[in-house]
Amino acid sequence: MSQNRISWHDYFMLQAKTIALRSTCTRLMVGCLITRDNRVIAAGYNGSVSGDVHCIDVGCKLENGHCVRTIHAEANAILQCAKFGISTNGADIYVTHFPCLNCTKMIIQAGIKNLYYETDYRVDSYALELLKNSKVSIYQIKTSFEDYFPLSVEKKEFLKNILNELKTNSNPQTFRKFARKASRLFNINMEL
């Protein structure tokens, strides 16, 4: 694979991460992409049912610790296929977070054969058992937009150099203040 060209898996997972930005849930932003033969056939994010109010506007509607207002990203993508008559049999699914038990059941029933996810989130042991018994392959993919934007990497290095100068030439309190903010804004870890 060319170093300059993004892999299919990273390409689809980064799209799922971008789709998650449309989420209207205040508890967790999840994005999902369904593909077949390296082509996108559906996308979904967690949010309210069409026409309902959104959690970001009025708050979550919690029952037994779960927001019942939200429909999950995987369900949204699978239902989008159903709505438009697109088969999911043999497809792949890319999700930013490991699917819940109910979404796992939908993935299996939809005939999806490969599950790609990035973040472990409340991984249910029965969901894992179902996926294994149904012969759905599971892959964890860790990727970042920064892996594909050298300028972003260069900017982070520059900021690290500035922080190192602060560490050497300023009082520790000033350094810690800027290091914490850089860590929060740019995901730069500096020794405090």
Side-chain angles (χ1 to χ4, degrees):
M1 180 178 76
S2 169
Q3 189 173 6
N4 296 326
R5 191 166 190 202
I6 190 170
S7 73
W8 284 112
H9 296 304
D10 285 0
Y11 174 69
F12 293 134
M13 186 58 72
L14 290 173
Q15 285 185 61
K17 290 170 87 166
T18 301
I19 291 162
L21 297 174
R22 288 283 305 155
S23 173
T24 61
C25 180
T26 57
R27 299 181 72 196
L28 185 67
M29 297 173 77
V30 179
C32 174
L33 202 69
I34 300 176
T35 68
R36 190 181 324 103
D37 301 324
N38 290 332
R39 300 292 178 261
V40 176
I41 60 172
Y45 53 87
N46 57 332
S48 301
V49 173
S50 297
D52 195 11
V53 295
H54 298 288
C55 297
I56 57 174
D57 297 327
V58 298
C60 291
K61 186 174 181 69
L62 296 178
E63 290 183 14
N64 299 318
H66 297 283
C67 181
V68 295
R69 184 186 321 280
T70 301
I71 185 167
H72 290 186
E74 305 91 325
N76 261 330
I78 291 169
L79 290 170
Q80 185 181 69
C81 287
K83 184 176 183 176
F84 294 108
I86 301 168
S87 172
T88 54
N89 196 41
D92 298 332
I93 192 165
Y94 292 81
V95 190
T96 56
H97 296 75
F98 194 88
C100 71
L101 178 58
N102 285 328
C103 286
T104 296
K105 292 174 185 178
M106 280 187 263
I107 288 167
I108 292 165
Q109 289 303 99
I112 292 170
K113 291 300 174 198
N114 295 297
L115 164 63
Y116 300 91
Y117 75 100
E118 183 172 73
T119 305
D120 286 320
Y121 180 74
R122 298 181 182 174
V123 179
D124 185 275
S125 60
Y126 185 52
L128 288 170
E129 181 184 330
L130 287 173
L131 289 164
K132 180 181 176 186
N133 292 342
S134 300
K135 296 185 177 31
V136 175
S137 299
I138 307 166
Y139 306 94
Q140 188 171 22
I141 297 174
K142 299 275 189 181
T143 190
S144 168
F145 288 103
E146 293 175 354
D147 296 339
Y148 296 97
F149 296 101
L151 186 57
S152 177
V153 173
E154 184 180 340
K155 286 179 182 179
K156 279 176 77 169
E157 280 304 311
F158 179 70
L159 188 53
K160 271 187 174 179
N161 291 336
I162 291 171
L163 288 171
N164 280 325
E165 282 293 317
L166 266 175
K167 187 175 186 178
T168 305
N169 299 315
S170 72
N171 69 51
Q173 186 178 0
T174 301
F175 165 72
R176 280 193 299 276
K177 180 178 91 172
F178 286 109
R180 280 191 195 103
K181 188 160 188 171
S183 176
R184 187 172 46 85
L185 293 174
F186 303 103
N187 198 24
I188 294 175
N189 294 317
M190 297 291 295
E191 241 181 75
L192 300 175

